[in-house]
Amino acid sequence: MIAELIREIGIGGARYIEENLDEQFQALKYLSERQDSEVFIKLVVANALISYQLTGRGEQWWWEFARHFSNVEVTSLYEAYSTFLPTSRYNRRLVEQKLRRIKRVEGFLNSLSLEELSRYYENMRSFWLALAKAVGSEREKKTVVFAVKMFGYASRIVFSEFIPYPMEIPIPEDVRIIRVTRKLTQESPRKFWGKIARQTGVPPLHIDSIIWPVLGGADVHKAPEPLRLKLLKLYKLIK
């Protein structure tokens, strides 16, 4: 049943959800209009890499991030976050650990021009591998794959082009996804949703986009009727 619904929603439905129902995407659109495009993409990637152990909902954190950096000139990611994180309302745990991660990835991000970021958007698998190496982390780790997802969001906004996520990048195993997966199977989220992705043709990062906002309370009634009915069915299955 879950695979059938995901197949019916498809990549097109996932895109609609991402661009219209996901508050994280709305927050990025807000920031993109107020920040330099190259800096914007790099900020989004850095922010995704430290989006763990939050003290609020993910949607709240991304809006806090967007509003903060809409009024900040960024010359150094590390210095910008050294000021931001200690005063954050929704991401104030493990500040020193997160700043070290920003420091570790800053050189890689600084080395990329807007043109190179565009090329990475066309080959997000390469970006995924390069980012994992820069962070010094396993490529399947939650924040690494989530950073690729948010890189895709930011690049879609900047370059005005929709490119589907690669099939091989796994779903981010965050609390919402782990909780719903346990209701459906004893398999790990990565294995279960990877299997669903292959069955439906919908890449795991887009499956994440279908499930995550619904679990977070997104107003599915805003969706056009065919998609709305499918999302309501999905909600009954996973709530």
Side-chain angles (χ1 to χ4, degrees), residues 46-232:
N47 204 62
L49 288 169
I50 59 166
S51 292
Y52 61 94
Q53 289 284 320
L54 301 179
T55 48
R57 294 166 64 249
E59 292 88 348
Q60 293 172 314
W61 159 239
W62 281 89
W63 270 112
E64 181 182 36
F65 155 77
R67 291 188 176 106
H68 175 85
F69 282 108
S70 67
N71 297 304
V72 173
E73 182 178 350
V74 179
T75 55
S76 160
L77 290 171
Y78 179 79
E79 293 301 326
Y81 275 92
S82 295
T83 301
F84 176 40
L85 282 185
T87 63
S88 169
R89 180 177 179 185
Y90 299 114
N91 198 353
R92 56 176 181 260
R93 295 178 182 143
L94 306 174
V95 168
E96 291 305 317
Q97 181 183 109
K98 290 169 181 176
L99 287 175
R100 286 195 297 271
R101 176 166 267 210
I102 295 287
K103 189 74 170 178
R104 199 153 56 237
V105 79
E106 184 169 33
F108 167 66
L109 292 176
N110 284 346
S111 72
L112 301 176
S113 66
L114 192 61
E115 183 180 351
E116 289 168 320
L117 289 166
S118 175
R119 286 199 293 270
Y120 266 135
Y121 180 45
E122 294 171 357
N123 188 348
M124 283 183 274
R125 184 180 186 278
S126 291
F127 181 74
W128 174 42
L129 300 179
L131 183 64
K133 183 178 179 181
V135 175
S137 176
E138 295 175 14
R139 61 189 184 186
E140 294 85 3
K141 289 292 187 181
K142 178 189 73 172
T143 52
V144 173
V145 295
F146 178 61
V148 178
K149 178 179 177 178
M150 297 308 282
F151 168 73
Y153 274 17
S155 296
R156 192 187 311 177
I157 292 167
V158 168
F159 303 120
S160 302
E161 180 182 7
F162 172 74
I163 298 176
Y165 292 112
M167 183 65 76
E168 59 265 48
I169 302 179
I171 200 165
E173 294 186 329
D174 72 357
V175 173
R176 290 185 197 177
I177 295 299
I178 291 170
R179 186 182 301 128
V180 72
T181 306
R182 285 175 179 165
K183 293 180 179 179
L184 300 169
T185 180
Q186 296 301 311
E187 292 181 292
S188 72
R190 190 184 307 160
K191 183 176 181 180
F192 177 73
W193 295 110
K195 183 172 63 179
I196 296 296
R198 291 188 296 274
Q199 291 173 357
T200 62
V202 180
L205 289 182
H206 287 301
I207 291 177
D208 183 64
S209 298
I210 293 169
I211 295 170
W212 202 84
V214 172
L215 292 173
D219 186 1
V220 300
H221 294 282
K222 292 180 180 178
E225 185 169 332
L227 178 58
R228 180 171 70 248
L229 295 176
K230 290 167 188 164
L231 289 177
L232 290 171

